[in-house]
Amino acid sequence: MSGVIRLTFVSTNPGKAREVREILAPYGIRVHWRRRRLPEPQADDLSTVVRSKLAAVKDIPGNVLVEDSGLFIDSLAGFPGVYSAHFLSAWGFGPMLELLRRRARDAEFRAAAGLRVGSRTRIFTGTVRGTIAPRARGTAGFGYDPIFVPHGWTKTFAQVPPAAKNRLSHRSRAVRKVGEYLARRTTTS
Ligand code: IMP
């Protein structure tokens, strides 16, 4: 790999920025976090939201990355999905855990990462399946981490070190594709 690749990650979420930085470091990518609130249109899929976020960062030079993600619960028809951030800040975990007392607890986290390199834009996606724990456990991470148990685990994302979450999270699966794409472009150009 030749030299350092620089990338600006635009988000208001420090937890996402920390993860993106760690996930991309092995690719020789240095991430600069730019804190900016981006428009989130009413849409039921993450890629549509990511496209509008990409349109809102046109003024930022160089390689730019944006991301949209959410928790999709099967028995709630995918809710809270694209409304995950809003639902959590308005209600916390309580109503969701109550709703799930008599429903199946299967869920998935999804992430869509939007990359702009030169005049090209690309969207990369990642998911991780799991279940919603009956109560919150752990203090690491952010958002719904204390109630999400990935398949094959007994602990929530909030009960493990960041590196363990980054091995299989939705965000790492999407953002590693960004790393591979950028590293490949750099070595072949
Ligand atoms: P947005 O992408 O800014 O719309 O926000 C996504 C929201 O989904 C976050 O604020 C969290 O509530 C939730 N979320 C997305 N990814 C994760 C994760 O890795 N852990 C926990 N919660 C997440």
Side-chain angles (χ1 to χ4, degrees):
M1 204 175 296
S2 56
V4 172
I5 305 168
R6 289 173 203 284
L7 176 70
T8 301
F9 177 59
V10 188
S11 168
T12 54
N13 186 325
K16 287 186 182 181
R18 196 174 48 240
E19 290 181 9
V20 165
R21 189 170 281 148
E22 282 176 21
I23 295 161
L24 290 177
Y27 297 92
I29 299 170
R30 189 172 300 158
V31 175
H32 166 71
W33 174 35
R34 179 122 171 213
R35 193 175 202 140
R36 180 191 286 187
R37 186 166 298 282
L38 298 173
E40 295 205 16
Q42 288 252 314
D44 53 16
D45 71 304
L46 299 176
S47 295
T48 305
V49 178
V50 161
R51 264 184 227 106
S52 97
K53 286 186 174 181
L54 279 171
V57 296
K58 281 195 174 129
D59 59 308
I60 299 176
N63 303 322
V64 181
L65 184 70
V66 296
E67 190 259 27
D68 202 70
S69 47
L71 178 66
F72 295 73
I73 299 177
D74 299 3
S75 62
L76 302 181
F79 190 79
V82 289
Y83 307 106
S84 295
H86 180 70
F87 184 76
L88 187 59
S89 64
W91 297 98
F93 298 136
M96 180 181 294
L97 296 181
E98 188 57 36
L99 274 173
L100 291 180
R101 270 160 40 111
R102 279 176 215 82
R103 289 180 172 85
R105 317 186 73 87
D106 307 277
E108 69 184 33
F109 269 129
R110 294 182 200 157
L115 174 70
R116 197 196 68 224
V117 185
S119 57
R120 289 204 65 170
T121 58
R122 297 281 309 259
I123 296 180
F124 302 91
T125 60
T127 63
V128 59
R129 296 280 306 164
T131 55
I132 303 302
R135 61 186 175 79
R137 284 185 272 131
T139 53
F142 68 95
Y144 296 91
D145 281 343
I147 60 165
F148 187 82
V149 181
H151 276 171
W153 290 27
T154 53
K155 292 183 173 173
T156 68
F157 267 157
Q159 290 178 294
V160 297
K165 177 183 174 186
N166 284 344
R167 270 199 291 279
L168 84 169
S169 79
H170 52 312
R171 182 162 303 100
S172 69
R173 286 175 171 158
V175 172
R176 275 204 296 265
K177 293 176 191 169
V178 172
E180 280 154 24
Y181 177 79
L182 276 177
R184 202 169 47 237
R185 260 184 129 257
T186 309
T187 47
T188 54
S189 61

